[in-house]
Amino acid sequence: MRNVARERNAFTLVELLVVIAIIGVLVGLLLPAVQAAREAARRMSCSNNFKQIGLAVHNYHSAYKKLPMQGGGTDKPGVGASQGNSTTGGGGNQLWLTWLVGLTPFFEQQALWEQISNPLRRNTSGTAMSGSWSAMGPIPWQSEYPPWMTEVPTLRCPSDPGVGLPSHGRTNYAACVGDSGYMIDKGPIDENGNTNSDWTETVRVAHRGVFALRREMRFRDILDGLANTIMSGEIATDLGDNDVTTRMGWRVTSSENDAPLTKGVFFDPTDCDANLDPNRPQFWADGKGILAASEGRGYRWAYAYPVYSQVTTIRPPNSPLCLQHKSGAYRGGHYSVSSRHQGGAHVLMGDGAVKFITDSIDAGTSTAPMPYKVKASAGNSQMWVGQASPYGLWGALGTRASKEVISQEF
């Protein structure tokens, strides 16, 4: 009688375990590569959005012979009922619209521009309106006005996961105002809508970037060369987690007049670092001075206030944000670029080129006082007309006409 070997129709337990182990090892090796590839694709898309904005700026300048205004609009501060009403409409923007509002028809958002530039009878709550919102819209923090609540894809970096309330329409791209944060929340127009001569003289000295709040700027003003000057910077939007790059820290200053000379963030940009959580230095400590949850970085694409749509070149990318605070009112401060990418953030140069700036860029002396000029009544002043930026290559890239030679790669 012959012995016939039985045919085996299945894997043994040992073989199954070996196959599972091999698959697990392969997955462990491949997942980081897949994640890296996805982030590379998101970063490329983020850069492409920035290039589209840069092209829009150049087309805008070609059409109007000037740059879109940061802090523009139709109604001056203190004029009219700025808030408007979800039923009767109306309202005025009080010169708080960003440079991005005027750019909308130049980056394929003509329909949104038509809503903004014409009276609009529609609100976000969907209730009937008896009147229309004013042309160019009410104040940019009016949540019942649909355009201000619109998420514009071109203004969002795919690497940034921030969505939803308490933000309105978010932006990841902000106007560069230079190497000083002094009065970048005011500009030359006072609270009554009048041009203030003291303020005008002060901001002419301090506001050295491509954009200056409530001032018309042109390419001819960029004497250092378009290719050598940052026009806009990337910002990460706030996720509500006290991150130092997306939530503003602040420190109380007792005297507004002497603050820039002897204390505070204008005198020392690292002033707010005292509020960092010692166990997690990328976050503010609980109970320390930080802005309210509704005032997160990038929360309102149409609002020209610094925390939402401005960047400075004072401290390097992804540094803690800090503003001046006095008597319940916020002042200027410093607002660096930031991102969800690893190791740096994108900037848009004046010629439309997009560069990735690393966190380790030469930023000079972080504790150096900001360029400014205060009123003579303060007993002293610091003039920085034509002087080089104290913030190294980073500061030099942010100034438009300081005649600094850019001799390094960045």
PDB file of all heavy atoms in Angstrom, residues 58 65 113 139 226 376 384 402:
ATOM      1  N   HIS A  58       0.371  92.481  -8.546  1.00  0.00           N
ATOM      2  CA  HIS A  58       0.989  93.139  -9.704  1.00  0.00           C
ATOM      3  C   HIS A  58      -0.072  93.575 -10.719  1.00  0.00           C
ATOM      4  O   HIS A  58       0.047  94.650 -11.322  1.00  0.00           O
ATOM      5  CB  HIS A  58       2.023  92.220 -10.338  1.00  0.00           C
ATOM      6  CG  HIS A  58       3.338  92.245  -9.634  1.00  0.00           C
ATOM      7  ND1 HIS A  58       4.439  92.945 -10.096  1.00  0.00           N
ATOM      8  CD2 HIS A  58       3.727  91.678  -8.467  1.00  0.00           C
ATOM      9  CE1 HIS A  58       5.450  92.793  -9.262  1.00  0.00           C
ATOM     10  NE2 HIS A  58       5.048  92.018  -8.263  1.00  0.00           N
ATOM     11  N   LYS A  65      -2.104 101.779 -10.557  1.00  0.00           N
ATOM     12  CA  LYS A  65      -0.856 102.517 -10.306  1.00  0.00           C
ATOM     13  C   LYS A  65      -0.578 102.680  -8.819  1.00  0.00           C
ATOM     14  O   LYS A  65       0.076 103.640  -8.392  1.00  0.00           O
ATOM     15  CB  LYS A  65      -0.865 103.894 -10.990  1.00  0.00           C
ATOM     16  CG  LYS A  65      -1.281 103.867 -12.443  1.00  0.00           C
ATOM     17  CD  LYS A  65      -0.445 102.907 -13.271  1.00  0.00           C
ATOM     18  CE  LYS A  65      -0.909 102.873 -14.734  1.00  0.00           C
ATOM     19  NZ  LYS A  65      -0.245 101.783 -15.498  1.00  0.00           N
ATOM     20  N   TRP A 113     -16.363  89.924  -4.914  1.00  0.00           N
ATOM     21  CA  TRP A 113     -16.159  91.369  -5.039  1.00  0.00           C
ATOM     22  C   TRP A 113     -17.462  92.085  -5.392  1.00  0.00           C
ATOM     23  O   TRP A 113     -17.728  93.177  -4.874  1.00  0.00           O
ATOM     24  CB  TRP A 113     -15.094  91.652  -6.090  1.00  0.00           C
ATOM     25  CG  TRP A 113     -14.973  93.110  -6.444  1.00  0.00           C
ATOM     26  CD1 TRP A 113     -15.332  93.705  -7.609  1.00  0.00           C
ATOM     27  CD2 TRP A 113     -14.468  94.153  -5.604  1.00  0.00           C
ATOM     28  NE1 TRP A 113     -15.087  95.060  -7.565  1.00  0.00           N
ATOM     29  CE2 TRP A 113     -14.559  95.369  -6.341  1.00  0.00           C
ATOM     30  CE3 TRP A 113     -13.957  94.197  -4.313  1.00  0.00           C
ATOM     31  CZ2 TRP A 113     -14.144  96.593  -5.833  1.00  0.00           C
ATOM     32  CZ3 TRP A 113     -13.541  95.429  -3.797  1.00  0.00           C
ATOM     33  CH2 TRP A 113     -13.640  96.595  -4.552  1.00  0.00           C
ATOM     34  N   ILE A 139     -18.409  97.276   9.254  1.00  0.00           N
ATOM     35  CA  ILE A 139     -17.149  96.939   9.905  1.00  0.00           C
ATOM     36  C   ILE A 139     -16.820  95.466   9.686  1.00  0.00           C
ATOM     37  O   ILE A 139     -17.712  94.616   9.665  1.00  0.00           O
ATOM     38  CB  ILE A 139     -17.220  97.251  11.413  1.00  0.00           C
ATOM     39  CG1 ILE A 139     -18.459  96.604  12.036  1.00  0.00           C
ATOM     40  CG2 ILE A 139     -17.179  98.746  11.670  1.00  0.00           C
ATOM     41  CD1 ILE A 139     -18.547  96.758  13.530  1.00  0.00           C
ATOM     42  N   LEU A 226      12.285  95.319  -5.513  1.00  0.00           N
ATOM     43  CA  LEU A 226      11.174  94.406  -5.264  1.00  0.00           C
ATOM     44  C   LEU A 226      11.659  93.007  -4.874  1.00  0.00           C
ATOM     45  O   LEU A 226      11.057  92.352  -4.026  1.00  0.00           O
ATOM     46  CB  LEU A 226      10.285  94.310  -6.506  1.00  0.00           C
ATOM     47  CG  LEU A 226       9.571  95.597  -6.949  1.00  0.00           C
ATOM     48  CD1 LEU A 226       8.754  95.327  -8.207  1.00  0.00           C
ATOM     49  CD2 LEU A 226       8.675  96.120  -5.840  1.00  0.00           C
ATOM     50  N   ALA A 376       7.577 114.803  21.348  1.00  0.00           N
ATOM     51  CA  ALA A 376       8.618 115.503  22.093  1.00  0.00           C
ATOM     52  C   ALA A 376       8.255 115.641  23.568  1.00  0.00           C
ATOM     53  O   ALA A 376       9.129 115.729  24.427  1.00  0.00           O
ATOM     54  CB  ALA A 376       8.855 116.877  21.481  1.00  0.00           C
ATOM     55  N   TRP A 384      14.805 106.957  13.374  1.00  0.00           N
ATOM     56  CA  TRP A 384      15.435 105.886  12.614  1.00  0.00           C
ATOM     57  C   TRP A 384      15.352 106.157  11.115  1.00  0.00           C
ATOM     58  O   TRP A 384      15.301 105.235  10.325  1.00  0.00           O
ATOM     59  CB  TRP A 384      14.755 104.553  12.935  1.00  0.00           C
ATOM     60  CG  TRP A 384      15.254 103.959  14.209  1.00  0.00           C
ATOM     61  CD1 TRP A 384      14.957 104.363  15.474  1.00  0.00           C
ATOM     62  CD2 TRP A 384      16.165 102.865  14.345  1.00  0.00           C
ATOM     63  NE1 TRP A 384      15.601 103.587  16.388  1.00  0.00           N
ATOM     64  CE2 TRP A 384      16.349 102.652  15.729  1.00  0.00           C
ATOM     65  CE3 TRP A 384      16.832 102.047  13.454  1.00  0.00           C
ATOM     66  CZ2 TRP A 384      17.178 101.653  16.233  1.00  0.00           C
ATOM     67  CZ3 TRP A 384      17.637 101.047  13.950  1.00  0.00           C
ATOM     68  CH2 TRP A 384      17.819 100.861  15.312  1.00  0.00           C
ATOM     69  N   SER A 402      15.602 101.286   3.145  1.00  0.00           N
ATOM     70  CA  SER A 402      16.679 101.574   4.092  1.00  0.00           C
ATOM     71  C   SER A 402      18.059 101.424   3.469  1.00  0.00           C
ATOM     72  O   SER A 402      19.073 101.529   4.144  1.00  0.00           O
ATOM     73  CB  SER A 402      16.562 100.657   5.321  1.00  0.00           C
ATOM     74  OG  SER A 402      15.411 100.978   6.052  1.00  0.00           O
TER      75      SER A 402
END
